[in-house]
Protein backbone atom coordinates (compact mmCIF):
# COMPACT_ATOMS: atom_id res chain seq x y z
CA UNK A 1 0.00 0.00 0.00
CA UNK A 2 1.34 3.48 -0.87
CA UNK A 3 2.23 5.53 2.17
CA UNK A 4 0.75 8.92 3.02
CA UNK A 5 3.14 11.79 2.34
CA UNK A 6 0.92 14.61 3.58
CA UNK A 7 -1.84 14.38 6.12
CA UNK A 8 -4.10 17.37 6.87
CA UNK A 9 -6.23 17.00 10.00
CA UNK A 10 -9.08 19.30 11.03
CA UNK A 11 -7.33 22.33 9.54
CA UNK A 12 -8.92 25.72 10.23
CA UNK A 13 -8.10 29.29 9.33
CA UNK A 14 -10.33 32.11 10.55
CA UNK A 15 -9.38 35.68 9.64
CA UNK A 16 -10.57 38.66 11.63
CA UNK A 17 -13.06 40.59 9.52
CA UNK A 18 -11.73 43.99 8.54
CA UNK A 19 -13.10 46.68 10.76
CA UNK A 20 -14.24 49.89 9.14
CA UNK A 21 -14.94 53.28 10.75
CA UNK A 22 -18.64 52.51 10.47
CA UNK A 23 -18.76 48.80 11.23
CA UNK A 24 -16.97 47.55 14.32
CA UNK A 25 -17.09 43.83 14.02
CA UNK A 26 -15.48 40.93 15.80
CA UNK A 27 -16.69 38.51 13.15
CA UNK A 28 -14.41 35.92 11.66
CA UNK A 29 -14.05 34.97 8.03
CA UNK A 30 -13.93 31.18 8.09
CA UNK A 31 -11.71 30.72 5.05
CA UNK A 32 -10.87 27.09 5.88
CA UNK A 33 -13.12 25.37 8.36
CA UNK A 34 -12.16 21.95 9.65
CA UNK A 35 -10.90 20.12 6.60
CA UNK A 36 -9.03 16.80 6.53
CA UNK A 37 -7.42 14.87 3.69
CA UNK A 38 -4.34 12.80 2.92
CA UNK A 39 -2.08 12.79 -0.12
CA UNK A 40 -0.36 9.52 -1.01
CA UNK A 41 3.26 9.48 -2.09
CA UNK A 42 3.63 9.74 -5.88
CA UNK A 43 -0.01 10.78 -6.43
CA UNK A 44 -1.76 13.99 -7.49
CA UNK A 45 -4.49 15.34 -5.22
CA UNK A 46 -6.74 18.09 -6.59
CA UNK A 47 -8.56 20.70 -4.56
CA UNK A 48 -11.35 22.18 -6.65
CA UNK A 49 -14.10 24.74 -6.14
CA UNK A 50 -15.10 28.30 -7.01
CA UNK A 51 -12.90 31.31 -6.19
CA UNK A 52 -12.85 32.10 -2.49
CA UNK A 53 -13.69 28.55 -1.35
CA UNK A 54 -10.43 28.25 0.62
CA UNK A 55 -8.21 26.29 -1.79
CA UNK A 56 -5.29 28.74 -1.86
CA UNK A 57 -5.56 29.45 1.88
CA UNK A 58 -5.16 25.68 2.41
CA UNK A 59 -1.95 25.76 0.34
CA UNK A 60 -0.57 28.64 2.38
CA UNK A 61 -1.43 26.85 5.62
CA UNK A 62 0.41 23.72 4.50
CA UNK A 63 3.50 25.83 3.78
CA UNK A 64 2.96 27.65 7.08
CA UNK A 65 3.06 30.97 5.24
CA UNK A 66 0.10 31.86 7.46
CA UNK A 67 -0.68 30.63 10.97
CA UNK A 68 -3.54 28.14 11.33
CA UNK A 69 -6.41 28.74 13.74
CA UNK A 70 -6.50 25.02 14.48
CA UNK A 71 -5.65 21.57 13.18
CA UNK A 72 -2.50 19.75 12.17
CA UNK A 73 -0.47 19.12 9.04
CA UNK A 74 1.84 16.08 8.98
CA UNK A 75 4.53 15.68 6.34
CA UNK A 76 6.24 12.27 6.30
CA UNK A 77 4.72 11.77 9.74
CA UNK A 78 6.25 15.00 11.16
CA UNK A 79 3.92 17.59 12.63
CA UNK A 80 4.84 20.70 10.60
CA UNK A 81 3.36 23.05 13.19
CA UNK A 82 5.58 21.79 16.00
CA UNK A 83 8.86 22.08 14.11
CA UNK A 84 11.45 24.62 15.21
CA UNK A 85 12.23 27.38 12.67
CA UNK A 86 15.45 25.66 11.58
CA UNK A 87 13.64 22.30 11.15
CA UNK A 88 10.90 24.06 9.20
CA UNK A 89 13.44 25.66 6.82
CA UNK A 90 14.97 22.20 6.27
CA UNK A 91 11.55 20.66 5.57
CA UNK A 92 10.67 23.45 3.13
CA UNK A 93 13.34 22.07 0.82
CA UNK A 94 11.01 19.11 0.33
CA UNK A 95 7.82 21.16 -0.06
CA UNK A 96 7.77 23.71 -2.86
CA UNK A 97 5.11 25.77 -4.60
CA UNK A 98 4.41 26.78 -8.18
CA UNK A 99 2.53 30.06 -8.14
CA UNK A 100 -0.43 31.13 -10.20
CA UNK A 101 1.05 34.25 -11.74
CA UNK A 102 4.39 33.84 -13.52
CA UNK A 103 4.46 37.62 -14.04
CA UNK A 104 4.51 38.66 -10.40
CA UNK A 105 6.16 35.62 -8.82
CA UNK A 106 9.58 36.22 -10.42
CA UNK A 107 11.82 39.07 -9.28
CA UNK A 108 12.12 41.31 -12.37
CA UNK A 109 15.57 42.58 -11.27
CA UNK A 110 17.12 39.13 -11.07
CA UNK A 111 18.51 37.08 -13.93
CA UNK A 112 17.23 33.53 -14.38
CA UNK A 113 20.45 32.25 -12.85
CA UNK A 114 19.93 34.38 -9.72
CA UNK A 115 16.28 33.30 -9.47
CA UNK A 116 17.15 29.62 -9.72
CA UNK A 117 20.22 29.83 -7.47
CA UNK A 118 18.34 31.47 -4.63
CA UNK A 119 16.68 28.29 -3.25
CA UNK A 120 20.06 26.52 -3.51
CA UNK A 121 21.69 29.35 -1.51
CA UNK A 122 18.90 29.29 1.08
CA UNK A 123 19.31 25.57 1.65
CA UNK A 124 23.10 25.64 1.22
CA UNK A 125 23.04 23.06 -1.54
CA UNK A 126 26.24 22.42 -3.56
CA UNK A 127 29.36 24.40 -4.33
CA UNK A 128 29.30 27.37 -6.72
CA UNK A 129 30.25 25.18 -9.66
CA UNK A 130 27.69 22.52 -8.69
CA UNK A 131 24.96 25.14 -8.43
CA UNK A 132 25.76 26.41 -11.92
CA UNK A 133 25.42 22.88 -13.23
CA UNK A 134 22.16 22.34 -11.34
CA UNK A 135 20.73 25.54 -12.85
CA UNK A 136 21.75 24.42 -16.34
CA UNK A 137 20.27 20.94 -15.80
CA UNK A 138 16.93 22.13 -14.46
CA UNK A 139 16.57 24.60 -17.35
CA UNK A 140 17.02 21.73 -19.75
CA UNK A 141 14.48 19.62 -17.85
CA UNK A 142 11.79 22.32 -18.13
CA UNK A 143 12.53 22.94 -21.82
CA UNK A 144 14.65 26.12 -21.64
CA UNK A 145 18.24 26.66 -22.80
CA UNK A 146 21.50 27.24 -20.97
CA UNK A 147 21.81 30.67 -22.67
CA UNK A 148 18.57 31.71 -20.91
CA UNK A 149 20.53 31.90 -17.62
CA UNK A 150 21.63 35.47 -18.14
CA UNK A 151 18.24 36.76 -19.31
CA UNK A 152 15.65 38.57 -17.17
CA UNK A 153 11.97 37.62 -16.71
CA UNK A 154 10.67 40.36 -19.05
CA UNK A 155 12.56 38.74 -21.94
CA UNK A 156 10.34 35.64 -21.79
CA UNK A 157 6.78 34.81 -22.82
CA UNK A 158 4.19 33.87 -20.16
CA UNK A 159 4.64 30.14 -20.78
CA UNK A 160 8.43 30.43 -20.54
CA UNK A 161 8.15 32.38 -17.30
CA UNK A 162 6.00 29.64 -15.85
CA UNK A 163 8.69 27.15 -16.90
CA UNK A 164 11.15 29.25 -14.87
CA UNK A 165 8.70 29.14 -11.94
CA UNK A 166 8.53 25.34 -12.27
CA UNK A 167 12.34 25.13 -12.47
CA UNK A 168 12.63 27.23 -9.30
CA UNK A 169 10.21 24.92 -7.48
CA UNK A 170 12.01 21.76 -8.61
CA UNK A 171 15.66 22.75 -8.28
CA UNK A 172 15.90 21.61 -4.65
CA UNK A 173 14.51 18.17 -5.64
CA UNK A 174 11.37 18.47 -3.50
CA UNK A 175 9.14 15.52 -2.68
CA UNK A 176 5.92 17.51 -2.61
CA UNK A 177 4.88 20.37 -4.90
CA UNK A 178 1.84 22.58 -4.46
CA UNK A 179 0.63 23.82 -7.85
CA UNK A 180 -1.65 26.81 -7.19
CA UNK A 181 -3.66 27.41 -10.39
CA UNK A 182 -0.40 27.18 -12.38
CA UNK A 183 -1.97 27.81 -15.79
CA UNK A 184 -4.85 30.17 -15.08
CA UNK A 185 -2.80 33.28 -15.92
CA UNK A 186 -1.50 31.80 -19.20
CA UNK A 187 -2.82 31.96 -22.76
CA UNK A 188 -5.04 29.02 -23.63
CA UNK A 189 -2.58 28.11 -26.42
CA UNK A 190 0.22 27.36 -23.95
CA UNK A 191 -1.81 25.91 -21.06
CA UNK A 192 -1.64 22.39 -22.52
CA UNK A 193 2.18 22.56 -22.83
CA UNK A 194 2.57 23.45 -19.16
CA UNK A 195 0.11 20.78 -18.03
CA UNK A 196 1.92 18.15 -20.14
CA UNK A 197 5.24 19.30 -18.68
CA UNK A 198 3.90 19.02 -15.12
CA UNK A 199 2.51 15.56 -15.85
CA UNK A 200 5.80 14.34 -17.38
CA UNK A 201 7.85 15.75 -14.50
CA UNK A 202 5.57 14.15 -11.94
CA UNK A 203 6.13 10.72 -13.48
CA UNK A 204 9.86 11.15 -14.20
CA UNK A 205 10.77 12.60 -10.81
CA UNK A 206 8.17 10.62 -8.83
CA UNK A 207 6.73 13.84 -7.42
CA UNK A 208 3.61 14.23 -5.33
CA UNK A 209 1.39 17.21 -6.22
CA UNK A 210 -1.36 19.10 -4.48
CA UNK A 211 -3.07 20.64 -7.50
CA UNK A 212 -5.31 23.63 -6.91
CA UNK A 213 -7.57 24.48 -9.80
CA UNK A 214 -11.07 25.30 -10.91
CA UNK A 215 -10.50 23.64 -14.29
CA UNK A 216 -12.02 20.18 -14.01
CA UNK A 217 -10.70 18.98 -17.37
CA UNK A 218 -7.19 19.23 -15.94
CA UNK A 219 -8.24 17.30 -12.85
CA UNK A 220 -9.50 14.47 -15.04
CA UNK A 221 -6.26 14.45 -17.02
CA UNK A 222 -3.76 14.76 -14.19
CA UNK A 223 -5.16 13.90 -10.78
CA UNK A 224 -5.75 10.69 -8.83
CA UNK A 225 -7.87 12.09 -6.00
CA UNK A 226 -10.19 15.10 -5.73
CA UNK A 227 -11.50 17.17 -2.83
CA UNK A 228 -14.39 19.50 -3.71
CA UNK A 229 -14.44 22.62 -1.51
CA UNK A 230 -17.35 24.96 -0.87
CA UNK A 231 -17.09 27.95 1.48
CA UNK A 232 -14.15 26.59 3.46
CA UNK A 233 -15.43 22.99 3.73
CA UNK A 234 -14.68 19.80 1.82
CA UNK A 235 -18.11 18.62 0.68
CA UNK A 236 -17.00 15.63 -1.37
CA UNK A 237 -13.75 13.71 -1.60
CA UNK A 238 -12.67 10.60 -3.47
CA UNK A 239 -10.86 9.10 -6.40
CA UNK A 240 -11.05 11.10 -9.62
CA UNK A 241 -12.65 8.14 -11.33
CA UNK A 242 -15.39 7.75 -8.70
CA UNK A 243 -16.20 11.45 -8.49
CA UNK A 244 -16.24 12.06 -12.23
CA UNK A 245 -18.37 8.99 -12.83
CA UNK A 246 -20.83 9.65 -10.07
CA UNK A 247 -20.62 12.99 -8.25
CA UNK A 248 -22.98 12.72 -5.27
CA UNK A 249 -23.04 16.22 -3.76
CA UNK A 250 -25.44 18.61 -5.52
CA UNK A 251 -22.65 21.22 -5.67
CA UNK A 252 -20.25 18.75 -7.32
CA UNK A 253 -23.02 17.68 -9.69
CA UNK A 254 -23.44 21.29 -10.83
CA UNK A 255 -19.66 21.82 -11.22
CA UNK A 256 -19.13 18.58 -13.12
CA UNK A 257 -22.16 19.08 -15.38
CA UNK A 258 -20.52 22.25 -16.73
CA UNK A 259 -17.46 20.41 -18.15
CA UNK A 260 -17.52 20.84 -21.94
CA UNK A 261 -18.18 17.58 -23.81
CA UNK A 262 -15.69 16.62 -26.52
CA UNK A 263 -18.47 14.77 -28.37
CA UNK A 264 -21.04 17.31 -29.71
CA UNK A 265 -23.64 14.54 -30.13
CA UNK A 266 -23.46 13.54 -26.50
CA UNK A 267 -25.89 15.86 -24.78
CA UNK A 268 -25.45 16.31 -21.06
CA UNK A 269 -27.90 18.20 -18.91
CA UNK A 270 -26.17 21.16 -17.28
CA UNK A 271 -27.18 21.97 -13.71
CA UNK A 272 -27.15 25.73 -13.26
CA UNK A 273 -26.16 27.10 -9.87
CA UNK A 274 -28.49 29.86 -8.73
CA UNK A 275 -27.17 32.92 -6.92
CA UNK A 276 -23.69 33.90 -5.78
CA UNK A 277 -21.44 32.17 -3.27
CA UNK A 278 -22.55 33.51 0.16
CA UNK A 279 -20.04 35.53 2.19
CA UNK A 280 -17.66 33.42 4.30
CA UNK A 281 -18.07 36.17 6.94
CA UNK A 282 -21.55 34.98 7.63
CA UNK A 283 -21.87 31.53 6.07
CA UNK A 284 -25.30 29.87 5.94
CA UNK A 285 -26.17 27.68 8.91
CA UNK A 286 -26.30 23.88 8.60
CA UNK A 287 -25.21 22.88 5.12
CA UNK A 288 -23.44 25.92 3.70
CA UNK A 289 -24.76 25.09 0.25
CA UNK A 290 -28.44 25.14 1.25
CA UNK A 291 -29.06 28.67 -0.10
CA UNK A 292 -28.21 27.47 -3.61
CA UNK A 293 -29.27 23.84 -3.49
CA UNK A 294 -32.31 22.72 -5.47
CA UNK A 295 -32.76 19.73 -3.13
CA UNK A 296 -32.60 21.65 0.17
CA UNK A 297 -34.85 20.32 2.97
CA UNK A 298 -35.65 21.86 6.39
CA UNK A 299 -32.86 19.86 8.08
CA UNK A 300 -30.29 21.34 5.67
CA UNK A 301 -30.40 24.80 7.25
CA UNK A 302 -30.35 23.36 10.78
CA UNK A 303 -27.77 20.61 10.83
CA UNK A 304 -24.37 20.48 9.25
CA UNK A 305 -23.99 17.27 7.21
CA UNK A 306 -20.83 15.26 7.92
CA UNK A 307 -18.75 13.41 5.37
CA UNK A 308 -20.15 9.89 4.94
CA UNK A 309 -18.70 6.98 3.02
CA UNK A 310 -20.73 6.50 -0.16
CA UNK A 311 -18.44 4.07 -1.93
CA UNK A 312 -14.94 2.72 -1.79
CA UNK A 313 -12.63 5.76 -1.93
CA UNK A 314 -15.54 8.20 -1.98
CA UNK A 315 -17.13 10.36 0.75
CA UNK A 316 -19.76 13.06 0.58
CA UNK A 317 -21.39 15.48 3.07
CA UNK A 318 -25.08 15.75 2.23
CA UNK A 319 -28.32 14.96 4.11
CA UNK A 320 -29.69 13.24 1.00
CA UNK A 321 -27.34 10.31 1.63
FE1 LIG B 1 -28.46 20.24 -0.60
FE2 LIG B 1 -29.22 19.60 1.86
FE3 LIG B 1 -27.43 18.11 0.60
FE4 LIG B 1 -26.80 20.54 1.45
S1 LIG B 1 -27.35 18.80 2.71
S2 LIG B 1 -26.32 19.68 -0.50
S3 LIG B 1 -28.70 21.63 1.09
S4 LIG B 1 -29.56 18.42 0.03
Amino acid sequence: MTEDLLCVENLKKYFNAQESAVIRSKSKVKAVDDISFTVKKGSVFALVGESGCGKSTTARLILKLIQPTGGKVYFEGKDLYSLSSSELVKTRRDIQMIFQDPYSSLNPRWSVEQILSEPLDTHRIGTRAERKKMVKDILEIVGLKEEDCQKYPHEFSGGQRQRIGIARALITHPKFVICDEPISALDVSIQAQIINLLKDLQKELNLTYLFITHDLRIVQFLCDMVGVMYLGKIVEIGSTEAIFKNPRHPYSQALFSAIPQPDPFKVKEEVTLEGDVPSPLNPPSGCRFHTRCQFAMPICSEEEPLLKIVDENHKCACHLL
Side-chain angles (χ1 to χ4, degrees), residues 110-228:
W110 283 6
S111 68
V112 169
E113 184 164 19
Q114 286 172 303
I115 290 169
L116 298 183
S117 300
E118 195 239 6
L120 300 176
D121 295 342
T122 306
H123 296 287
R124 298 198 178 94
I125 300 169
T127 60
R128 228 178 135 181
E130 284 165 344
R131 285 178 199 177
K132 266 194 175 303
K133 163 116 182 32
M134 288 163 93
V135 168
K136 179 180 155 281
D137 291 349
I138 198 76
L139 280 175
E140 200 175 301
I141 288 173
V142 300
L144 293 171
K145 298 191 194 90
E146 191 181 347
E147 307 87 88
D148 292 327
C149 267
Q150 300 315 320
K151 292 186 185 164
Y152 287 81
H154 72 270
E155 297 176 70
F156 295 92
S157 67
Q160 288 171 322
R161 282 187 223 193
Q162 194 55 303
R163 286 176 192 265
I164 299 168
I166 294 169
R168 181 180 56 188
L170 299 187
I171 198 159
T172 59
H173 296 289
K175 295 173 183 165
F176 183 64
V177 181
I178 299 175
C179 308
D180 187 6
E181 304 263 15
I183 59 158
S184 60
L186 302 177
D187 279 356
V188 177
S189 56
I190 43 175
Q191 288 183 350
Q193 290 174 20
I194 297 296
I195 287 301
N196 283 326
L197 173 67
L198 288 169
K199 187 174 174 120
D200 292 346
L201 291 172
Q202 193 254 334
K203 293 275 169 269
E204 280 165 30
L205 308 174
N206 193 29
L207 294 167
T208 306
Y209 289 160
L210 174 64
F211 207 90
I212 292 171
T213 184
H214 58 266
D215 190 333
L216 296 169
R217 290 164 309 164
I218 295 169
V219 175
Q220 200 167 16
F221 177 69
L222 193 70
C223 305
D224 304 292
M225 295 285 291
V226 191
V228 181

Side-chain angles (χ1 to χ4, degrees), residues 253-259 261 266-272 294:
Q253 287 167 359
L255 282 186
F256 287 74
S257 75
I259 304 174
Q261 287 290 322
K266 205 169 160 191
V267 181
K268 198 164 85 170
E269 201 186 323
E270 188 171 332
V271 183
T272 318
Q294 57 174 319

Side-chain angles (χ1 to χ4, degrees), residues 10-74:
N10 309 108
L11 194 59
K12 291 180 192 160
K13 179 64 191 176
Y14 301 164
F15 293 101
N16 287 326
Q18 235 180 12
E19 293 188 6
S20 70
V22 186
I23 304 164
R24 295 257 166 238
S25 150
K26 284 195 177 147
S27 311
K28 303 276 184 200
V29 175
K30 296 183 173 178
V32 172
D33 196 8
D34 202 359
I35 66 166
S36 302
F37 60 91
T38 53
V39 185
K40 299 236 173 266
K41 205 171 181 177
S43 72
V44 183
F45 186 101
L47 272 183
V48 303
E50 292 161 291
S51 301
C53 68
K55 307 179 298 267
S56 294
T57 306
T58 304
R60 279 159 180 76
L61 287 167
I62 292 170
L63 283 163
K64 218 182 163 198
L65 298 177
I66 50 175
Q67 289 298 325
T69 306
K72 300 267 185 208
V73 175
Y74 296 95

Side-chain angles (χ1 to χ4, degrees), residues 249-251 287 289-290 293-297 300 305 317-320:
H249 196 281
Y251 176 59
C287 171
F289 186 59
H290 82 257
C293 180
Q294 57 174 319
F295 306 107
M297 309 167 278
C300 300
C318 175
H319 289 304
L320 287 174

